[in-house]
Amino acid sequence: DVKVTQSSRYLVKRTGEKVFLECVQDMDHENMFWYRQDPGLGLRLIYFSYDVKMKEKGDIPEGYSVSREKKERFSLILESASTNQTSMYLCASSLGRGAWPPADNYGYTFGSGTRLTVV
Amino acid sequence: SQELEQSPQSLIVQEGKNLTINCTSSKTLYGLYWYKQKYGEGLIFLMMLQKGGEEKSHEKITAKLDEKKQQSSLHITASQPSHAGIYLCGADIESSNTGKLIFGQGTTLQVKP
């Protein structure tokens, strides 16, 4: 019954490494999002995508990039990992924008998260 | 400053007690979503409110959206250890329903047996 799958639950990487976090959804959702979650700061939006090959910056895009070559897959890339990118990363998907009125299934479905530690 | 403010930030209650978590915005909330997160895991959808004055319940959890659609509350009756976790509110604050939610900073709930 898994709907949004993140490739790793735990990841340890070295400073300077290029890191790929993968997210796959099987609900045919148009929207996909990457957040990071830190204590006291809540969820902060990194990047999002409304369609294949489209991407938009969120609130904290610096040091990150994304790729969406297929509708079901949204990848987050840390170009050169740094210790301040140690965090919990959450992927989410939702139905396309513009649907009105909002309903239960217009919210996000989240993956289980990837806890990334950069040493 | 946070566009969605949750209060309190953390809560410790004795099992069996009632509790309330609030989510407040300075803007109109179009679609307010409540999620629960167990430590180290993803977020699980609880319920969604849209209309001013709306109230929904699931088991011992009740969520309300005020008439002005700028504040929502989540009330747990007779809390149990299984209610422990982080509760987050998420909302669309743009009337065009972009499909992009903003989130509060979360409320961490501990329930002591």
Side-chain angles (χ1 to χ4, degrees), chain B:
Chain B
S1 65
Q2 202 82 12
E3 288 185 288
L4 273 188
E5 290 282 347
Q6 276 186 245
S7 62
Q9 287 195 2
S10 64
L11 201 50
I12 302 173
V13 300
Q14 203 68 36
E15 183 176 358
K17 294 294 185 184
N18 302 335
L19 63 106
T20 300
I21 298 168
N22 293 304
C23 177
T24 303
S25 171
S26 58
K27 299 180 180 180
T28 300
L29 302 170
Y30 299 96
L32 187 287
Y33 300 81
W34 282 101
Y35 292 87
K36 179 187 175 185
Q37 183 182 31
K38 291 272 191 188
Y39 179 75
E41 298 181 9
L43 279 68
I44 304 298
F45 170 74
L46 294 176
M47 56 191 87
M48 177 265 177
L49 303 164
Q50 181 220 332
K51 298 175 183 175
E54 187 175 10
E55 179 175 323
K56 287 185 178 178
S57 293
H58 177 67
E59 297 180 345
K60 294 185 178 181
I61 300 176
T62 300
K64 299 179 185 180
L65 183 62
D66 76 345
E67 289 290 342
K68 292 184 178 180
K69 294 172 60 174
Q70 288 188 301
Q71 183 174 35
S72 178
S73 60
L74 187 81
H75 184 77
I76 298 177
T77 304
S79 58
Q80 301 168 355
S82 61
H83 287 129
I86 301 172
Y87 290 82
L88 290 100
C89 60
D92 188 342
I93 58 172
E94 299 178 29
S95 60
S96 58
N97 192 26
T98 61
K100 182 162 67 84
L101 303 183
I102 61 168
F103 288 88
Q105 70 271 47
T107 296
T108 301
L109 171 63
Q110 294 181 53
V111 180
K112 291 191 170 183

